[in-house]
């Protein structure tokens, strides 16, 4: 958009000013002597004749390579700056800096090729439009006409004064040529984004009957030929908590993001209350499914407004109630203006505190289906406890689906689903799966080493894998 801005906001006015005065001058000079006027236009015609050389396919490819190289430099800078804490902690400054230097060297090579391709043409245009060259052409043509008796010496004066100004339109186009090309390429990228089709909305939406969730033969892949989910069949009953666990890259996040319909499955269907998600109105779906992300985004607004994001009409009493449930109420009261404190201006929250704000937001929304996408992956103990309270406290008939990074979080789940390589390999209650001593038990051992006494933790699940036949 910043590349398109000059073409829309500045180019029209600049081009009008660049064309009007020369056009009036040209009409006047034609009335003085049309022959010398044509001679005066020789530099302009020469410069215009060189313009197509700047739009050859090779020049356009070099422009695209230039844009791409600039993008790589920008990306390497952002990655380096954002990764400074990791770089300092693990001593990877040399490698991180080399990535930027590589991008910079690549840019120098691309820029050099581009300059070599356009420098001769650009120099020729600048020479043709320069005042000394224009005056030389006018003087030469005027001298021929004067010596032949075709005009008087006084008649040459208007051409010497106004002739250099006739090059202004071409000079303006020349100086704006880079902006024009950048705007053209940017418009193409914007058009490509706008041409991406949104998920289709149903012409005649249906209403879900209840909030039982079913995944029927679901398959999905971000790229053709590579499926992330392969034949998922799963039922989430109202009033239950279902936890999805599995190694990184198994498709956990992809699976849960099908519920708020961030994308549609390539095969199969996701059903809510007996209706395919593709048959539901988008607003109805978002009122039914609430989402807590791993990465929380808070608005530059008051704490109360951040919590009431999904329910702007909520009163302060309701906001305080869910803040207590999320164990963030006391921290909010310690802020400069309590619930009226503007985040990002008057106060900053830690990652765990922001996560608890997100949990309070989801609780206030009161959606009958709650999805927690690794909400405790980087959480502090209080945030993890808040999430566990959400999972263990009775919530009526709410359907809860949670991705668990810390397996202790799923101890209170009704059903645990183990996902590997896009396929469900195990499902059952936590104690049942531990007793099987299968994939879930192996994950449990890798995440939670056994304690010497083999006693149970406060979550009710033994810190050791039970022997066969032994209950939790």
């Amino acid at each position: 958009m910043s590349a398109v801005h000059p073409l829309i906001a500045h180019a029209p006015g600049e081009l009008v000013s660049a064309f009007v005065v020369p056009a009036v001058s040209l009409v006047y000079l034609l009335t003085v002597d049309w022959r010398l006027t044509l001679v005066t236009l020789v530099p302009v015609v020469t410069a215009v004749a060189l313009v197509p050389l700047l739009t050859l396919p090779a020049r356009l490819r070099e422009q695209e390579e230039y844009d791409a190289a600039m993008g790589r430099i920008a990306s390497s800078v952002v990655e380096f700056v954002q990764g400074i804490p990791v770089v300092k902690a693990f001593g990877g400054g040399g490698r991180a800096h080399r990535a930027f230097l590589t991008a910079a060297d690549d840019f120098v090579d691309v820029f050099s090729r581009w300059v070599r391709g356009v420098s001769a043409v650009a120099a020729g245009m600048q020479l043709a439009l320069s005042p000394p060259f224009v005056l030389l052409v006018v003087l030469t043509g005027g001298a021929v006409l004067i010596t032949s008796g075709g005009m008087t010496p006084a008649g040459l004066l208007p051409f010497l004064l106004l002739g250099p100004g006739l090059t202004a339109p071409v000079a303006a186009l020349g100086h704006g040529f880079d902006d024009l090309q950048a705007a053209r390429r940017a418009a193409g990228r914007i058009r490509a984004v706008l041409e991406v089709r949104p998920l289709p909305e149903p012409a005649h939406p249906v209403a879900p009957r209840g909030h039982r969730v079913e995944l029927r033969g679901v398959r999905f892949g971000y790229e053709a030929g590579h499926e992330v989910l392969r034949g998922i069949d799963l039922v989430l009953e109202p009033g239950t908590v279902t936890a999805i666990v599995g190694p990184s890259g198994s498709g956990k996040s992809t699976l849960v993001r099908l519920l708020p319909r961030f994308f549609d499955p390539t095969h199969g269907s996701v059903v809510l209350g007996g209706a395919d998600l593709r048959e539901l109105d988008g607003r109805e779906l978002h009122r039914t499914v609430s989402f807590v992300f791993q990465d929380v985004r808070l608005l530059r607004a008051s704490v109360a407004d951040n919590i009431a994001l999904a329910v702007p009409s909520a009163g302060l009493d309701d906001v305080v109630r869910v803040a207590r449930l999320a164990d963030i109420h006391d921290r909010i009261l310690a802020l400069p203006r309590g619930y009226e404190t503007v985040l990002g201006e008057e106060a900053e929250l830690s990652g765990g505190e922001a996560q608890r704000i997100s949990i309070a937001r989801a609780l206030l929304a009161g959606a009958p289906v709650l999805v927690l996408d690794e909400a405790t992956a980087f959480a502090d103990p209080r945030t993890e406890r808040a999430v566990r309270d959400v999972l263990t406290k009775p919530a009526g008939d709410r359907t809860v689906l949670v991705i668990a990074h810390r397996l202790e979080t799923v101890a209170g789940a009704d059903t645990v689903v183990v996902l590997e390589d896009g396929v469900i390999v195990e499902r059952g209650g936590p104690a049942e799966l531990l007793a099987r001593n299968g994939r879930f038990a192996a994950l449990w051992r890798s995440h939670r080493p056994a304690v010497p006494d083999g006693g149970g933790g406060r979550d009710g699940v033994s810190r050791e894998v039970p022997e066969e036949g032994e209950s939790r």
Side-chain angles (χ1 to χ4, degrees):
M1 291 304 300
S2 62
V4 174
H5 171 78
L7 183 66
I8 298 174
H10 304 293
E14 293 174 354
L15 290 177
V16 167
S17 63
F19 275 89
V20 169
V21 173
V24 173
S25 300
L26 180 61
V27 171
Y28 169 70
L29 293 179
L30 285 171
T31 63
V32 175
D33 191 294
W34 64 270
R35 296 165 299 180
L36 189 54
T37 301
L38 295 180
V39 173
T40 306
L41 289 177
V42 168
V44 175
V45 174
T46 302
V48 171
L50 294 175
V51 170
L53 298 180
L54 296 176
T55 59
L56 294 174
R59 303 289 82 81
L60 297 179
R61 283 196 303 271
E62 290 166 357
Q63 281 281 358
E64 293 172 355
E65 292 173 359
Y66 173 87
D67 289 343
M70 281 296 294
R72 287 191 292 272
I73 286 183
S75 297
S76 65
V77 169
V78 171
E79 290 172 1
F80 181 73
V81 172
Q82 291 181 342
I84 282 176
V86 176
V87 169
K88 293 183 70 175
F90 294 97
R95 291 191 301 274
H97 193 229
R98 279 197 296 274
F100 169 73
L101 292 178
T102 300
D105 291 341
D106 181 43
F107 171 76
V108 169
D109 293 339
V110 172
F111 182 75
S112 298
R113 289 199 303 273
W114 176 68
V115 168
R116 285 194 296 269
V118 302
S119 58
V121 178
M125 291 181 64
Q126 291 184 2
L127 176 62
L129 298 174
S130 64
F133 182 77
V134 174
L135 291 175
L136 177 62
V137 172
V138 172
L139 285 171
T140 302
V144 172
L145 290 174
I146 291 172
T147 55
S148 65
M151 67 179 301
T152 64
L156 181 60
L157 184 59
F159 293 91
L160 294 176
L161 293 176
L162 301 178
L166 297 180
T167 63
V170 181
L173 290 175
H175 290 307
F177 184 76
D178 290 341
D179 290 340
L180 191 65
Q181 291 297 313
R184 182 187 62 81
R185 295 190 301 273
R189 293 194 295 271
I190 294 172
R191 189 181 303 111
V193 172
L194 296 179
E195 287 176 352
V196 175
R197 293 186 177 184
L199 292 177
E201 288 285 339
H204 304 287
V206 300
R209 298 182 300 276
H211 43 273
R212 185 174 189 262
V213 177
E214 300 176 67
L215 285 82
R216 302 172 179 172
V218 168
R219 292 177 174 271
F220 177 79
Y222 295 99
E223 300 174 358
H226 179 67
E227 287 188 327
V228 179
L229 301 175
R230 300 182 289 123
I232 301 296
D233 292 295
L234 183 63
V235 176
L236 312 178
E237 296 289 353
T240 64
V241 176
T242 302
I244 308 292
V245 302
S248 298
S250 59
K252 303 187 298 296
S253 290
T254 300
L255 189 152
V256 301
R257 287 168 188 257
L258 290 173
L259 266 68
R261 205 189 173 203
F262 288 174
F263 30 72
D264 288 331
T266 50
H267 297 284
S269 60
V270 181
V271 178
L272 173 63
D276 192 307
L277 294 188
R278 287 168 285 208
E279 300 174 350
L280 299 180
D281 178 75
R283 289 168 296 184
E284 177 67 25
L285 176 61
H286 297 150
R287 282 194 296 265
T288 306
V289 180
S290 184
F291 213 99
V292 178
F293 293 96
Q294 174 181 329
D295 297 322
V296 180
R297 293 292 180 265
L298 299 180
L299 304 179
R300 189 174 291 270
S302 69
V303 176
D305 288 342
N306 269 280
I307 294 176
L309 183 63
V311 191
S313 60
L316 183 59
D317 291 342
D318 292 329
V319 171
V320 172
R321 175 180 57 82
V322 296
R324 290 183 184 275
L325 291 175
D327 197 19
I328 192 64
H329 174 69
D330 293 339
R331 175 68 180 100
I332 294 173
L333 293 182
L335 296 175
R337 294 195 295 130
Y339 282 85
E340 296 303 315
T341 302
V342 177
L343 298 179
E345 291 183 4
E346 299 174 287
E348 298 285 349
L349 297 180
S350 68
E353 292 165 349
Q355 191 67 266
R356 277 178 270 151
I357 292 287
S358 178
I359 294 169
R361 179 189 292 167
L363 293 175
L364 183 62
V369 179
L370 176 61
V371 180
L372 302 171
D373 184 7
E374 298 206 60
T376 63
F378 306 108
D380 54 60
R382 291 187 64 177
T383 303
E384 183 179 1
R385 185 170 66 250
V387 173
R388 292 174 65 179
D389 286 345
V390 171
L391 300 180
T392 56
K393 289 180 180 178
D397 60 350
R398 176 185 292 151
T399 304
V400 180
L401 178 63
V402 57
I403 290 182
H405 179 78
R406 299 175 179 173
L407 296 188
E408 299 94 326
T409 308
V410 309
D414 298 288
T415 303
V416 175
V417 174
V418 182
L419 202 63
E420 282 191 11
D421 194 25
V423 177
I424 296 177
V425 294
E426 276 187 340
R427 73 178 79 196
E432 175 190 350
L433 295 183
L434 285 172
R436 289 183 193 173
N437 203 20
R439 303 290 181 87
F440 178 72
L443 285 171
W444 184 270
R445 285 194 298 267
S446 65
H447 283 77
R448 193 74 182 182
V451 295
D453 61 3
R458 66 180 179 183
D459 51 30
V461 177
S462 172
R463 294 303 189 237
E464 294 182 337
V465 179
E467 299 294 336
E468 186 173 356
E470 187 179 340
S471 63
R472 124 178 118 138

